[in-house]
Amino acid sequence: MSHPFRYIALAAALSLAGCQPVNTTNGGAVGVQRQQYMFSMLSSQQVDQMYAQSYQKTIGEATTAGKLDNNSADAKRVKAIAARLIPQTGAFRQDAPGWQWQVNVIKSDELNANCGPGGKIIFYSGLIDKLQLTDDEIAAVMGHEIAHALREHGREQMSRAYAVQMGESLGGALLGLGQGGMQLADQVVQYSLTLPNSRENENEADLIGLELAARAGYNPNAALTLWQKMGQAGGDAPPEILSTHPADSTRMANLQAAIPKVMPLYEQAKGRN
Ligand SMILES: [Zn+2]
């Protein structure tokens, strides 16, 4: 099918399945323009609330286990970097700087980091220590994870899953939403953090993350060294984050191509810091 027809057919199919076109973000200097569709009965607020519960549980468990790290040098670096990145989210969506952001570091060997719906950031100390990440590299991975939250990729992936489900059952599945099988809250966690994102979503998060870091005065070239380090940490025990974020040549090539677009923003920001 030619492009416009394919687009119209997709839009029609998704709208029949209860999905509506949504623009979560502006395109930014990196030009992320893909039209998104969200299931109309699954609001951002609903997803954020359900995710916040799971986040609080994770933080509560880490606190009980004595693993929550608020005072180490790592924790201070992570919080300082977040404090510079978060205000830059306004360049992509106006509401984001006002979200109830939370930033925590958990002591763990895991090589992982995430930012769930609504701006709930967790860094695992293993990622910083084992890969000896610089501040610029921490900003690169944090920017990437924040970008998933800004684009609401978790909600979008859930919406697609519901659209497929509805298509299969000719609409009847809508009534079963959240019943039977997995609870809705578990699905939010799964679609936001656990399941691999599509290649397209990964690319969007790379591009927006690159721009967020540059706007905050962090060197965008660090995105390349970050993913090189991730790739080298593979082998027998690949980093947890690699299961959802392959550090492949496509990612590297796309990052490399986008860096010149954000370099002027980095130069401007560097002058201010
Ligand atoms: Zn990602």
Side-chain angles (χ1 to χ4, degrees):
M1 247 191 281
S2 72
H3 207 72
F5 285 114
R6 204 175 64 189
Y7 177 79
I8 292 163
L10 173 73
L14 286 167
S15 92
L16 273 176
C19 285
Q20 294 183 338
V22 167
N23 292 321
T24 54
T25 64
N26 306 314
V30 289
V32 169
Q33 301 292 0
R34 182 180 58 88
Q35 177 69 68
Q36 295 176 283
Y37 292 88
M38 299 290 184
F39 194 57
S40 45
M41 289 180 70
L42 187 67
S43 69
S44 308
Q45 208 183 16
Q46 210 179 355
V47 169
D48 290 358
Q49 278 171 3
M50 283 184 287
Y51 185 75
Q53 287 171 21
S54 140
Y55 178 85
Q56 292 310 337
K57 188 164 166 275
T58 303
I59 297 304
E61 285 167 1
T63 307
T64 307
K67 302 274 185 201
L68 194 69
D69 175 6
N70 278 313
N71 298 309
S72 73
D74 275 355
K76 285 177 184 150
R77 284 170 74 202
V78 165
K79 285 171 195 268
I81 293 164
R84 272 169 64 178
L85 285 175
I86 289 166
Q88 308 306 326
T89 58
F92 288 94
R93 52 184 294 171
Q94 278 184 344
D95 65 325
W99 286 0
Q100 293 182 327
W101 291 87
Q102 288 190 35
V103 186
N104 274 295
V105 175
I106 293 177
K107 281 182 248 169
S108 158
D109 287 341
E110 246 180 274
L111 275 67
N112 212 351
N114 55 56
C115 175
K120 306 286 185 273
I121 298 173
I122 298 178
F123 264 69
Y124 294 83
S125 58
L127 184 70
I128 300 167
D129 296 338
K130 286 192 195 164
L131 300 187
Q132 302 196 332
L133 297 186
T134 64
D135 283 6
D136 293 314
E137 288 164 347
I138 292 174
V141 66
M142 194 184 289
H144 174 102
E145 297 304 327
I146 287 175
H148 280 307
L150 296 179
R151 289 288 281 168
E152 297 184 57
H153 282 152
R155 180 171 160 236
E156 188 183 7
Q157 297 207 105
M158 279 181 83
S159 296
R160 282 191 190 179
Y162 286 140
V164 168
Q165 203 181 44
M166 287 197 58
E168 281 169 355
S169 68
L170 300 172
L174 179 59
L175 300 169
L177 183 65
Q179 293 172 0
M182 256 196 310
Q183 292 296 309
L184 199 53
D186 292 332
Q187 293 181 28
V188 168
V189 174
Q190 193 180 39
Y191 283 104
S192 301
L193 298 189
T194 323
L195 288 174
N197 264 294
S198 66
R199 181 63 250 175
E200 220 170 13
N201 287 4
E202 278 306 301
N203 191 42
E204 289 179 0
D206 276 346
L207 295 176
I208 292 174
L210 206 58
E211 183 166 335
L212 289 173
R215 285 180 180 277
Y218 293 104
N219 191 333
N221 286 306
L224 296 173
T225 54
L226 166 77
W227 293 107
Q228 276 159 9
K229 284 181 176 180
M230 295 266 204
Q232 283 159 7
D236 287 348
E240 286 77 3
I241 199 170
L242 280 188
S243 68
T244 48
H245 296 82
D248 54 19
S249 57
T250 313
R251 181 187 296 273
M252 301 307 265
N254 289 341
L255 281 169
Q256 212 137 25
I259 285 173
K261 293 183 195 165
V262 303
M263 254 317 167
L265 294 167
Y266 168 57
E267 296 295 343
Q268 280 170 30
K270 215 171 44 164
R272 285 195 301 268
N273 278 303

